[in-house]
């Protein structure tokens, strides 16, 4: 259940983020422990997000054993200061209710485990620069969310730190990773992509580390893995959240020791690569679930960037439509009717889906898009098995989009069938309640807690 308290007199939750031509500002805020094992502890945010939990990587680290390692976050958003649960074991209590997310007002108190916390505004502001409306001519965005990213990229690219990119499928994580590589001192080196979700589990170790001749059946000759092939350049570990749990320690060891061993060899090979990892999951939630190692997460989480979904940056849609229309229509301007129609779609497939819709509109010559286009479909069509443009995607991309449509249709039907109650729906679906809560958040479905 998402609760949105009405701002108190004199407080305007919509002005948390104030945008100026070259910068964005947000009011600083603090969180203080008012009761519990860590009473008196506090943290004042110097960034738009403040994380709370027992793990060392959080901003406010608690010792309360009933608090999860990554329990919750508070983020400054255009709508206000949002408190969001990270799939914790014991959840968040606010005003006598267990909530998944809520917008906080000054002086609000909420509970995590046996700890009570107070949220407050601070009188000063944090200023962040905004970048230009495009990045290297390939990544586009005139929204505040994207321009904040663009302003950070040159500084991040210049360093050699590991980068973790989080964002939904189709939001442009791979393209952003490539731009980081191109703007880095390693630009002259290789850019090697390993898709941890598409490579069969039995082959992923060989793809990463390579193997010697005769190391296993079918190894007729020695072969270098991705880390060796990318020497002097960058390795993108795409969909790192899909990496098998038993392989995660081997990857962690390679990252910490900066060396690898080919399968079947005792010799170590030094690493000279930069690591960028990308995932469509929040790895903090996966750590809570036990499906992702916390030590590997901390090793990857040196610089964390969240790529927002298209529905959170609708200001970018006209810019992207014009860009793709020029590509497919020989530099023509898109019809206003087309842009207007595309602006009112949620785009679960994000930029990738938008690109396909524009291409189809150009090929069919129909500025209103037509009934065959995802943008013209109603939500109730989510359970359709296949769309005509799925064949324009790779197998993995089409599968991800189809699974996302099925997931959304299933959880909506499951919640409806159980009267909107999360606990009843989880029991009926024989699934973990925290996992169902995350699916509901991902697909914009609301439910009540019991």
């Amino acid at each position: 259940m998402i609760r949105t308290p009405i701002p108190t007199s004199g407080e305007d939750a919509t002005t948390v983020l104030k945008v100026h031509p070259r910068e964005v500002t947000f009011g600083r805020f603090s969180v203080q422990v008012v009761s519990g094992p860590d009473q008196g502890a506090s943290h004042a945010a110097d960034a738009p997000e403040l994380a709370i939990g027992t793990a060392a990587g959080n901003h406010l680290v608690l010792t309360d054993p009933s608090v999860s390692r990554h329990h919750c976050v508070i983020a400054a958003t255009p709508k206000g200061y949002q408190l969001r649960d990270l799939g914790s074991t014991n959840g968040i209590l606010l005003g006598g209710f267990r909530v998944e997310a809520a917008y906080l007002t000054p002086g609000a108190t909420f509970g995590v485990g046996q700890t009570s916390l107070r949220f407050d505004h601070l009188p000063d502001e944090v200023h962040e620069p905004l970048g230009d409306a495009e990045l290297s001519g390939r990544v586009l965005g005139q929204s505040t969310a994207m321009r904040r990213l663009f302003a950070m990229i040159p500084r991040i690219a210049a360093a050699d730190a590991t980068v973790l990119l989080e964002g939904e499928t189709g939001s442009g994580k791979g393209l952003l990773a490539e731009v980081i590589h191109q703007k880095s001192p390693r630009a002259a080196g290789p850019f090697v992509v390993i898709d941890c979700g598409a490579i069969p589990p039995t082959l992923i170790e060989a793809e990463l580390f390579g193997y010697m001749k005769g190391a296993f059946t079918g190894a007729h000759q020695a072969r270098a893995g991705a880390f060796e092939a990318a020497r002097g350049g960058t390795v993108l570990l795409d969909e790192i959240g899909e990496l098998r749990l038993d392989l995660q320690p081997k990857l962690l060891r390679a990252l910490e020791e900066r060396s690898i061993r080919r399968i079947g060899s005792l010799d170590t090979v030094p690493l000279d690569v930069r690591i960028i990892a990308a995932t469509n999951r929040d790895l903090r939630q996966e750590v809570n679930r036990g499906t992702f190692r916390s030590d590997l997460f901390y090793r990857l989480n040196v610089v964390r960037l969240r790529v927002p979904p298209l529905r959170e940056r609708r200001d970018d849609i006209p810019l992207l439509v014009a860009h793709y229309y020029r590509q497919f229509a020989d530099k023509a301007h898109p019809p206003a009717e087309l842009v207007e129609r595309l602006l009112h779609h949620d785009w679960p497939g994000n930029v990738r889906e938008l690109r396909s819709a524009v291409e189809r509109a150009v090929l069919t010559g129909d500025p209103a898009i037509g009934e065959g286009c995802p943008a013209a479909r109603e939500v109730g069509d989510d359970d359709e098995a296949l769309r005509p443009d799925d064949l324009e995607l790779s197998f993995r991309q089409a599968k991800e989009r189809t699974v996302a449509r099925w997931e959304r249709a299933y959880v909506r039907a499951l919640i409806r069938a159980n009267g909107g109650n999360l606990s009843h729906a989880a029991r009926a679906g024989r699934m973990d309640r925290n996992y169902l809560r995350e699916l509901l958040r991902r697909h914009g479905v609301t439910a009540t807690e019991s």
Side-chain angles (χ1 to χ4, degrees):
M1 177 174 63
I2 296 178
R3 293 168 56 84
T4 308
I6 298 174
T8 59
S9 177
E11 297 292 340
D12 183 357
T14 64
T15 60
V16 171
L17 288 172
K18 292 178 284 188
V19 183
H20 306 286
R22 301 301 302 175
E23 69 175 18
V24 61
T25 64
F26 66 90
R28 294 184 69 214
F29 58 95
S30 67
V31 176
Q32 182 176 8
V33 180
V34 295
S35 67
D38 304 287
Q39 184 173 359
S42 64
H43 186 87
D46 291 312
E49 183 179 275
L50 187 153
I52 301 169
T54 58
N58 290 283
H59 299 103
L60 180 58
V61 180
L62 303 176
T63 61
D64 184 346
S66 58
V67 171
S68 295
R69 284 177 289 186
H70 302 276
H71 202 101
C72 61
V73 294
I74 300 174
T77 76
K79 293 183 178 180
Y81 296 96
Q82 185 191 54
L83 171 68
R84 180 169 62 88
D85 185 60
L86 291 175
S88 63
T89 301
N90 294 316
I92 301 169
L93 290 178
L94 180 64
F97 295 91
R98 178 167 174 165
V99 300
E100 177 187 347
Y103 289 98
L104 298 173
T105 53
T109 59
F110 59 95
V112 294
Q114 299 301 312
T115 296
S116 180
L117 300 161
R118 176 186 169 97
F119 167 83
D120 279 300
H121 286 181
L122 297 176
D124 50 334
E125 294 182 329
V126 175
H127 299 257
E128 288 189 356
L130 295 177
D132 295 327
E134 66 176 52
L135 193 63
S136 293
R138 301 191 64 195
V139 183
L140 302 174
Q142 59 191 8
S143 64
T144 302
M146 292 304 290
R147 290 179 62 200
R148 288 171 74 186
L149 272 181
F150 295 169
M152 291 186 282
I153 294 303
R155 184 173 69 254
I156 292 170
D160 211 35
T162 301
V163 179
L164 177 62
L165 297 173
E166 294 184 343
E168 295 181 5
T169 299
S171 58
K173 300 185 298 294
L175 195 56
L176 197 62
E178 190 172 355
V179 170
I180 292 173
H181 168 71
Q182 291 169 349
K183 287 182 170 288
S184 76
R186 295 179 175 271
F191 179 72
V192 177
V193 180
I194 290 292
D195 190 332
C196 300
I199 300 173
T202 54
L203 299 180
I204 185 69
E205 187 175 2
E207 291 292 330
L208 288 173
F209 306 123
Y211 52 86
M212 302 302 294
K213 181 179 179 179
F216 50 83
T217 303
H220 301 302
Q221 59 184 11
R223 181 173 180 270
F227 288 118
E228 283 187 80
R231 182 179 287 113
T234 302
V235 171
L236 170 60
L237 300 173
D238 199 12
E239 301 305 345
I240 187 69
E242 307 298 327
L243 188 65
R244 270 182 12 202
L245 199 58
D246 61 315
L247 289 177
Q248 292 177 21
K250 297 181 181 180
L251 176 59
L252 176 64
R253 191 178 308 116
L255 297 181
E256 290 185 334
E257 298 177 359
R258 304 301 295 177
S259 64
I260 54 108
R261 289 179 182 172
R262 292 187 182 184
I263 299 175
S265 174
L266 297 177
D267 298 326
T268 59
V269 179
L271 292 186
D272 178 22
V273 297
R274 181 186 195 163
I275 304 297
I276 300 177
T279 177
N280 62 7
R281 305 183 182 191
D282 189 328
L283 292 186
R284 295 171 296 188
Q285 296 188 9
E286 301 306 314
V287 170
N288 285 340
R289 294 189 186 112
T291 59
F292 201 85
R293 290 179 61 103
S294 59
D295 46 7
L296 178 56
F297 168 69
Y298 302 140
R299 186 63 187 81
L300 296 173
N301 191 38
V302 178
V303 177
R304 175 175 166 267
L305 297 177
R306 176 181 177 269
V307 184
L310 197 52
R311 64 181 175 275
E312 291 182 10
R313 48 186 177 106
R314 293 188 181 275
D315 290 349
D316 293 340
I317 292 177
L319 183 68
L320 292 167
V321 171
H323 172 72
Y324 292 130
Y325 205 86
R326 284 193 298 270
Q327 283 188 354
F328 301 129
D330 194 23
K331 300 187 182 300
H333 294 291
E337 186 181 359
L338 173 64
V339 177
E340 182 65 22
R341 187 73 176 261
L342 298 180
L343 273 169
H344 292 89
H345 185 56
D346 279 343
W347 300 112
N350 291 295
V351 179
R352 185 181 296 143
E353 185 181 4
L354 176 66
R355 183 184 186 276
S356 295
V358 175
E359 184 177 14
R360 184 179 309 100
V362 171
L363 292 175
T364 60
D366 181 6
I369 305 175
E371 295 302 316
C373 174
R377 296 173 187 268
E378 297 298 326
V379 171
D381 292 328
D382 285 342
D383 57 351
E384 187 173 7
L386 192 67
R387 290 178 174 173
D389 64 320
D390 282 341
L391 297 181
E392 300 169 10
L393 307 175
S394 69
F395 170 78
R396 183 179 72 85
Q397 292 168 349
K399 179 181 177 182
E400 286 176 346
R401 196 164 76 173
T402 301
V403 169
R405 290 198 298 265
W406 179 87
E407 270 186 359
R408 182 160 55 176
Y410 178 82
V411 297
R412 280 178 170 162
L414 184 65
I415 288 297
R416 281 197 303 268
N418 288 275
N421 186 283
L422 176 67
S423 298
H424 294 171
R427 285 193 291 270
R430 293 185 292 280
M431 60 197 302
D432 179 74
R433 188 171 70 170
N434 287 333
Y435 181 59
L436 176 57
R437 184 186 293 116
E438 168 60 17
L439 288 179
L440 297 179
R441 186 195 66 79
R442 185 184 306 170
H443 296 296
V445 182
T446 58
T448 57
E449 302 266 2
S450 64

